[in-house]
Amino acid sequence: MKTYKQGFALLLSSALLLSMSAAVSAEEEEIEYVPLQAEVLNPIGAASVWDVNSHSVLFKLRNGLVGKVTVGSTQYEIGNKTGSFPAAVILEGTTALIPEDDNFIKNVNLENASGNVLDIARQSKAKMFKVKADMETEPAEQSGDAADDPSVWVHPNHPEKSLIIGANKKASPGGIEAYNLNGQRVGSYGVGKMNNVDVRYNFKLNGQKVDIAASTNRTTNQINIFAIHPSTGVLTEVTGNNLASHMEEVYGFSLYQSQRSGKMYGLITGKDGEFEQWELFDNGSGKVDGKLVRELKLGSVTEGIVADDEYGKFYVAEENVAIWKFNAEPDGGLLPEARIDTVDGIRLTADVEGLAIYYAEDGKGYLIASSQGSNRYALYDREDGEYVTTFMVGDGNTIDGTSETDGIDVISYGLGNRYPNGFFITQDDTNTEPDGSVANQNYKVVAWEKIAKGSDDKLEMKGVDPRKMKKR
């Protein structure tokens, strides 16, 4: 265990000196410090976040008890109990360090072992099947790590004219790229190094309801917003002046459209585990501005994030640790409600990257996670978090399989005769041509019915119109 030491003088009060009737000089002690999250909480399966406003680590033990440790204080809380460290908690960089204290560790471990309500389900042994892609997009125009995260825009009148909108991490020529359902590039928008992209519908702008695409821009460290033309699918930037993130470098992104308040939010993750929630609104000048309404910090790198608009939840992938479930409303608290699964090499292998929601009828459906380290995709029941199955996208005759996937998306709505049940789309890190040569990265598409029928437990196939979400 790595320790951190701090010397300090232990001064005895004059009252104690009198009572002892002797002069006692100050003596030096060494206090050993340990990282609270990395070496105390993470190994026992607790959830923890950094509260930016109170400069505290908040944690939730497996039995549901919530605790708090504050930088600069000697006091700690575990449920309704309090205790004291031998010295104040300190901050080294972005890491909270606690004085090594047997009583604190003992109490945490005892409470943590007394129950388990944090883990939403007892996940079963992994299952796996393979599918083959039905279509692939044109390769990115740049070599290297370019294509990252896709999203799907559904055309309001002609679903077969829907678009795949992808984020490109190379700044030129296109940071946002649009593809038709044949995989052909039909639009390129050079606005910076875009990381993750998402789409929502019926956003109120200029007195009208418009469809929007939004993305994190690593060049400007902000959110970029685009209005989507309802017939042509052409993107027009409508980014206002107040969407610059407070974190050092933006990373993952999801939109959240609340079925409770009707408001639209942008959810951002950062490379150091940061999270910001921005309320998005019409600024009265035909542009979209935002205000920061919630922020916190997980213990390590996070990227993948997705919101379930109907249930009012969002899921975030702490890449080497777990998938966490949070309340998506801005007043929904800072700690996760539950852990969906851990990154233990069984169902999920680091890094856990993209996340997506398959919306089925009557509130059913799935959370899908990209297990990058095993080139697989894990499905969890959207209602109770139970693990369902895992699939891979394998090599076909003309389209190769996927590997080391970053972003994913899924659409449950029918997109014409070719995709009557929607499809799953995934980024491919190593795009191999039929002759064995390696092309630039691209996206692979799998018709949903292949996945639904390929599983031992047949999956849901009745999707919903993304413009007609319901509060669950």
Side-chain angles (χ1 to χ4, degrees):
M1 177 182 286
K2 185 178 180 182
T3 60
Y4 302 75
K5 297 184 177 180
Q6 180 187 62
F8 72 98
L10 179 62
L11 302 178
L12 300 178
S13 68
S14 56
L16 180 60
L17 289 172
L18 289 173
S19 67
M20 294 179 64
S21 302
V24 181
S25 63
E27 62 183 45
E28 293 289 326
E29 278 190 11
E30 278 191 338
I31 299 295
E32 292 187 344
Y33 280 83
V34 296
L36 173 59
Q37 290 172 282
E39 297 193 15
V40 179
L41 299 174
N42 288 353
I44 63 172
S48 64
V49 300
W50 170 254
D51 180 359
V52 177
N53 295 317
S54 69
H55 287 196
S56 302
V57 173
L58 308 180
F59 58 90
K60 182 184 288 186
L61 302 178
R62 290 165 64 90
N63 67 353
L65 279 187
V66 172
K68 180 178 181 180
V69 169
T70 302
V71 170
S73 172
T74 60
Q75 301 295 309
Y76 62 80
E77 301 172 14
I78 304 175
N80 58 6
K81 299 177 181 178
T82 60
S84 297
F85 293 116
V89 177
I90 63 175
L91 191 67
E92 185 174 274
T94 60
T95 302
L97 307 175
I98 61 168
E100 197 170 49
D101 182 83
D102 290 342
N103 286 331
F104 174 77
I105 293 175
K106 178 182 177 181
N107 289 334
V108 164
N109 287 335
L110 284 173
E111 294 290 357
N112 195 63
S114 66
N116 186 10
V117 298
L118 180 61
D119 291 293
I120 197 167
R122 292 186 178 181
Q123 305 299 10
S124 58
K125 183 179 179 181
K127 299 178 284 186
M128 203 276 289
F129 64 97
K130 286 186 180 182
V131 294
K132 296 179 181 179
D134 294 280
M135 186 271 283
E136 63 180 336
T137 65
E138 290 183 23
E141 295 180 281
Q142 304 85 4
S143 61
D145 192 16
D148 191 283
D149 181 59
S151 191
V152 180
W153 171 70
V154 177
H155 193 288
N157 302 313
H158 303 283
E160 71 280 0
K161 294 182 180 180
S162 300
L163 295 177
I164 295 163
I165 300 175
N168 190 322
K169 289 183 286 191
K170 303 290 185 179
S172 177
I176 290 290
E177 297 183 330
Y179 305 84
N180 62 26
L181 297 192
N182 292 319
Q184 299 164 323
R185 186 180 293 103
V186 295
S188 187
Y189 306 87
V191 291
K193 297 179 180 179
M194 313 306 279
N195 202 81
N196 280 188
V197 64
D198 205 5
V199 169
R200 286 298 188 277
Y201 306 88
N202 302 321
F203 180 77
K204 294 180 180 179
L205 185 65
N206 268 343
Q208 298 179 328
K209 291 182 178 181
V210 301
D211 302 340
I212 61 170
S215 178
T216 38
N217 188 331
R218 290 166 68 174
T219 300
T220 59
N221 212 52
Q222 68 173 29
I223 303 172
N224 282 75
I225 313 289
F226 303 84
I228 307 173
H229 193 282
S231 58
T232 66
V234 171
L235 274 61
T236 301
E237 189 172 3
V238 291
T239 307
N241 298 316
N242 299 310
L243 290 170
S245 172
H246 296 186
M247 64 184 68
E248 185 173 340
E249 182 178 11
V250 295
Y251 206 27
F253 181 76
S254 174
L255 287 167
Y256 167 57
Q257 191 170 26
S258 174
Q259 303 303 300
R260 287 135 182 86
S261 66
K263 294 180 179 180
M264 188 80 75
Y265 299 94
L267 312 178
I268 311 174
T269 58
K271 282 197 170 183
D272 289 325
E274 305 99 328
F275 167 81
E276 292 178 354
Q277 181 167 3
W278 288 75
E279 181 182 332
L280 307 178
F281 53 85
D282 182 347
N283 69 4
S285 302
K287 303 289 185 180
V288 179
D289 272 329
K291 62 179 180 180
L292 184 63
V293 294
R294 179 165 56 162
E295 60 182 326
L296 57 91
K297 182 176 178 294
L298 291 165
S300 61
V301 59
T302 60
E303 180 178 10
I305 184 169
V306 68
D308 186 326
D309 291 356
E310 292 194 328
Y311 284 108
K313 310 296 179 184
F314 75 84
Y315 301 87
V316 62
E318 191 174 358
E319 292 185 357
N320 303 306
V321 179
I323 298 174
W324 302 103
K325 178 181 180 180
F326 285 81
N327 187 312
E329 293 299 313
D331 59 356
L334 300 181
L335 281 165
E337 293 184 346
R339 175 174 33 229
I340 298 299
D341 205 353
T342 56
V343 184
D344 56 7
I346 300 173
R347 293 160 301 276
L348 299 173
T349 302
D351 298 345
V352 178
E353 293 279 345
L355 298 175
I357 298 288
Y358 179 90
Y359 290 95
E361 285 186 343
D362 302 321
K364 299 178 182 178
Y366 310 99
L367 167 69
I368 308 176
S370 166
S371 176
Q372 189 180 72
S374 59
N375 304 322
R376 298 177 181 182
Y377 309 95
L379 274 70
Y380 301 87
D381 188 279
R382 180 175 159 227
E383 295 179 278
D384 60 21
E386 291 277 359
Y387 169 76
V388 178
T389 191
T390 296
F391 68 93
M392 299 180 70
V393 180
D395 291 337
N397 293 329
T398 59
I399 304 177
D400 64 310
T402 58
S403 60
E404 297 186 29
T405 294
D406 281 333
I408 61 174
D409 197 15
V410 65
I411 184 73
S412 65
Y413 192 64
L415 302 179
N417 294 332
R418 190 174 184 184
Y419 303 109
N421 301 290
F423 61 70
F424 171 77
I425 181 168
T426 169
Q427 183 260 9
D428 184 17
D429 183 78
T430 304
N431 177 28
T432 306
E433 300 286 14
D435 63 4
S437 62
V438 177
N440 291 344
Q441 295 175 342
N442 70 348
Y443 302 104
K444 304 293 197 292
V445 167
V446 182
W448 179 255
E449 60 266 21
K450 277 189 176 180
I451 298 170
K453 295 177 181 178
S455 172
D456 289 340
D457 301 316
K458 301 306 179 186
L459 305 180
E460 297 288 337
M461 290 179 58
K462 294 182 179 180
V464 300
D465 186 337
R467 290 181 170 84
K468 297 179 180 179
M469 294 291 175
K470 297 180 180 180
K471 179 182 175 181
R472 303 288 179 188

